[in-house]
Amino acid sequence: MTNDDKTPETQPAEQTTPLFITTRTRQTISPYLPPPVLRMMQTIDAIPQLRTIVGEEPTMTLSTLLLVIYVVGWGMKFVTSSFGGNKAAVEGLDDDAPEGSVLSNLEKKSSIENEVYGDSVILFGPSGSGKSVLFHSLLDPTSTQMSMTIMSLKANASILRQRDSNNPQDPPSSAASTAAVQIVDYPGHISLSTHLETLFYPKHKHHQGNSTTTTIRGVLVVDSTKSCNQAASLLFHTIVTNSALLEKWNTLYKKTGTKLKIMVVCSKTDAPNSKNWRRMKIQLRTELEKLRKIASSVDSSVDDGVDGDRSTALIGKAIDLDDLGKSGLPFLQLAFLSISCVGKREGIVTLTDFITKGRIPIDSASVLKSRKK
């Protein structure tokens, strides 16, 4: 009798021990769960097939399994990123990179390449505006597929040969190719914008005993499907109100009449919700006026004109983007263009003409069939 009495007491204990943790967990969290969730758990737990496969607590067992898979997945992602997995996705994000390494690619190229080029063109704009796609489209005009790009924290540069022919099928080594232009794809991360202004400084090049001034042009890439407030801020602080840059270009303009030309390129015009360059021009002017008012109010509140040299040098009641000379910037010239890097690649030929020869179209509508909105 003694052995028979002990047997029923020990067997239930052996059966309930494996279920103790899941059961206790369910009892602990049940008061904090909403009634619909509790009813769903009861429905799942009542399925006999699940109870046969996973035990007496199907809901808790499956939830625990999913949680373990999630944790293991994140753990593997952390381990792979620690061994350089993310470095392929974000170029330039290395631990031993010195401060200011955003220009390291340009320094390496200038030290190892002996090819002589004339002008330099800077592609700049907010992240995601389409700079790198445009960069590769300019270098490979015969490509019919849009290049897939990755976020980069380093500027990239390449040489684009000037063509006398507008036929993109002409190889760069043919007689239709004459001079060469350096194109710089500058990253759009806001933390790197402080180095951008140095690329727009007029530069003197020495080659075979001759000294020449390198012509600098800019291409501000703006996403036509989004607001242009970030692009306006970049243009305002890097170019329009940068006293050091303006002083250099003002001196050069008085000596040679050379202007700093910037083409505002409205990209992604193939998208259904895109805006043509006319609307983007109005929005850009509105954003610049807002920034001008903010800068003026800040300057007026600062005693003794501290940081006044960095304040807006714009004069006049309104900013005239067609003639910045009215705003005190006769050496700065803006133009606007709508482009697309897919399909018929509208505007690429006109942009290439600006990059290689510095030509600004009188009216982009004459070369583009922009949708009027």
Side-chain angles (χ1 to χ4, degrees):
M1 294 297 295
T2 303
N3 293 334
D4 294 339
D5 292 340
K6 290 182 180 181
T7 302
E9 295 179 0
T10 55
Q11 290 179 349
E14 294 176 355
Q15 294 177 356
T16 58
T17 299
L19 302 177
F20 177 76
I21 297 178
T22 55
T23 304
R24 291 286 297 176
T25 303
R26 177 177 57 79
Q27 293 174 353
T28 302
I29 66 175
S30 293
Y32 305 97
L33 298 177
V37 176
L38 292 176
R39 288 195 294 268
M40 180 185 67
M41 294 176 61
Q42 293 174 358
T43 302
I44 295 176
D45 291 341
I47 300 176
Q49 292 83 355
L50 286 179
R51 296 172 67 91
T52 303
I53 298 173
V54 299
E56 296 296 325
E57 296 284 350
T59 303
M60 295 305 302
T61 303
L62 294 176
S63 300
T64 304
L65 179 61
L66 293 176
L67 179 61
V68 171
I69 294 175
Y70 179 80
V71 173
V72 171
W74 272 102
M76 294 178 62
K77 184 177 180 180
F78 175 78
V79 172
T80 54
S81 63
S82 300
F83 286 94
N86 282 346
K87 292 184 179 180
V90 184
E91 181 185 356
L93 192 60
D94 44 357
D95 297 333
D96 56 351
E99 185 178 0
S101 61
V102 61
L103 303 179
S104 60
N105 281 353
L106 306 186
E107 297 170 356
K108 292 178 181 178
K109 284 182 177 293
S110 62
S111 62
I112 63 177
E113 292 183 359
N114 296 323
E115 184 172 4
V116 179
Y117 58 88
D119 302 344
S120 292
V121 179
I122 316 301
L123 300 181
F124 67 109
S127 296
S129 58
K131 299 183 299 299
S132 297
V133 173
L134 178 60
F135 177 76
H136 293 290
S137 297
L138 291 170
L139 297 178
D140 186 11
T142 61
S143 176
T144 58
Q145 296 181 350
M146 185 173 61
S147 302
M148 299 300 295
T149 62
I150 57 177
M151 184 180 69
S152 175
L153 298 181
K154 288 185 179 181
N156 194 17
S158 188
I159 301 298
L160 176 66
R161 293 189 176 276
Q162 178 178 319
R163 300 173 185 271
D164 292 333
S165 170
N166 288 330
N167 184 6
Q169 301 297 332
D170 290 339
S173 58
S174 67
S177 177
T178 55
V181 178
Q182 182 192 49
I183 302 181
V184 178
D185 176 20
Y186 194 88
H189 198 278
I190 190 172
S191 64
L192 306 175
S193 60
T194 54
H195 300 277
L196 176 60
E197 63 182 67
T198 60
L199 297 179
F200 283 99
Y201 289 165
K203 298 177 178 62
H204 298 279
K205 294 185 64 175
H206 301 276
H207 180 65
Q208 295 180 352
N210 298 324
S211 178
T212 59
T213 301
T214 301
T215 302
I216 308 295
R217 291 187 288 275
V219 176
L220 175 58
V221 185
V222 183
D223 188 345
S224 63
T225 64
K226 299 179 181 179
S227 171
C228 62
N229 55 349
Q230 294 185 13
S233 177
L234 188 62
L235 178 64
F236 186 82
H237 294 101
T238 304
I239 306 293
V240 176
T241 61
N242 190 320
S243 59
L245 179 65
L246 297 180
E247 182 179 356
K248 293 179 181 295
W249 275 99
N250 188 32
T251 302
L252 181 62
Y253 175 73
K254 291 180 179 179
K255 290 182 178 180
T256 64
T258 304
K259 292 184 178 182
L260 173 58
K261 300 178 181 180
I262 296 180
M263 178 74 76
V264 181
V265 171
C266 306
S267 65
K268 306 180 183 180
T269 55
D270 53 283
N273 59 336
S274 64
K275 298 178 286 291
N276 59 35
W277 65 267
R278 294 178 179 84
R279 288 192 60 184
M280 296 300 294
K281 180 179 180 180
I282 296 174
Q283 292 185 7
L284 183 65
R285 182 178 58 193
T286 302
E287 294 295 333
L288 290 175
E289 289 286 2
K290 292 179 182 179
L291 294 171
R292 180 190 183 187
K293 292 180 180 178
I294 295 174
S296 299
S297 61
V298 171
D299 292 339
S300 62
S301 63
V302 176
D303 296 335
D304 300 328
V306 177
D307 288 338
D309 58 336
R310 292 287 297 185
S311 66
T312 175
L314 300 174
I315 61 176
K317 295 182 179 180
I319 300 177
D320 188 353
L321 297 182
D322 295 323
D323 186 5
L324 288 172
K326 299 177 181 179
S327 301
L329 302 175
F331 47 84
L332 181 60
Q333 185 176 2
L334 296 182
F336 292 79
L337 183 68
S338 295
I339 68 165
S340 174
C341 295
V342 298
K344 296 181 179 180
R345 300 162 67 91
E346 293 179 313
I348 295 296
V349 174
T350 303
L351 179 60
T352 303
D353 202 35
F354 167 77
I355 290 176
T356 56
K357 302 177 182 179
R359 294 177 182 174
I360 293 182
I362 298 176
D363 186 356
S364 296
S366 63
V367 294
L368 286 181
K369 298 179 181 179
S370 301
R371 296 190 303 274
K372 293 183 179 181
K373 299 183 179 180

